[in-house]
Amino acid sequence: MRHMFAAAAAYMLMLGTVSHALVARDASSAQLAGAQADVDPYMTDEERLRYAKRTISDILERTQDAANRDVSKTQYCVEHGQELEKDVDQCELDILEAQSKHEQLQVAEAQCGHSCDNYHRIQMDLIHSRKDVNYYSARVGNLNKQIAALRNWCSP
């Protein structure tokens, strides 16, 4: 009795494996048929080559997109660190320029007094330059926060 049960189980297992293999074969045949259905049998060789190039380009693009989404922590730390380094250098130049412009406008204001023709223009420029200096000062603080966060996240 035991042998009959084991034989029946083996037969059922074999049927399941064969059935699974047939389903897998049918699925791959359907994929192949779907891929071949994309290519029109009446296409010229030139059209088929363009189609092949476009298909390869699409595959490479999807592969590259997937690789871009799978950035390693080390790679992220290096790339973001380089970006922050450039941002800090640029911010340093921007704040020096804004401070210089503001100082020039303060000198112009002192020379003008309250009676020159450009008084109101100088006052508006001073307001804008003060806002620029404040913006870049705040940007320095923001960059320092980003650097601290990157250092904490990237440290081993």
Side-chain angles (χ1 to χ4, degrees), residues 61-77 79 153:
E61 185 178 323
R62 283 193 310 262
T63 304
Q64 185 62 41
D65 288 346
N68 289 341
R69 285 190 303 271
D70 188 29
V71 176
S72 71
K73 182 177 179 179
T74 304
Q75 183 181 0
Y76 174 80
C77 290
E79 289 175 3
W153 194 73

Side-chain angles (χ1 to χ4, degrees), residues 48-93:
R48 285 186 185 135
L49 286 172
R50 269 189 302 209
Y51 174 80
K53 285 180 181 180
R54 191 172 55 247
T55 302
I56 290 171
S57 176
D58 290 345
I59 291 168
L60 292 175
E61 185 178 323
R62 283 193 310 262
T63 304
Q64 185 62 41
D65 288 346
N68 289 341
R69 285 190 303 271
D70 188 29
V71 176
S72 71
K73 182 177 179 179
T74 304
Q75 183 181 0
Y76 174 80
C77 290
V78 169
E79 289 175 3
H80 195 55
Q82 291 170 343
E83 290 171 9
L84 285 173
E85 188 175 41
K86 289 177 187 175
D87 288 346
V88 166
D89 291 342
Q90 184 61 49
C91 189
E92 184 179 24
L93 294 174

Side-chain angles (χ1 to χ4, degrees), residues 112-117 119:
C112 172
H114 295 286
S115 59
C116 73
D117 293 337
Y119 175 77

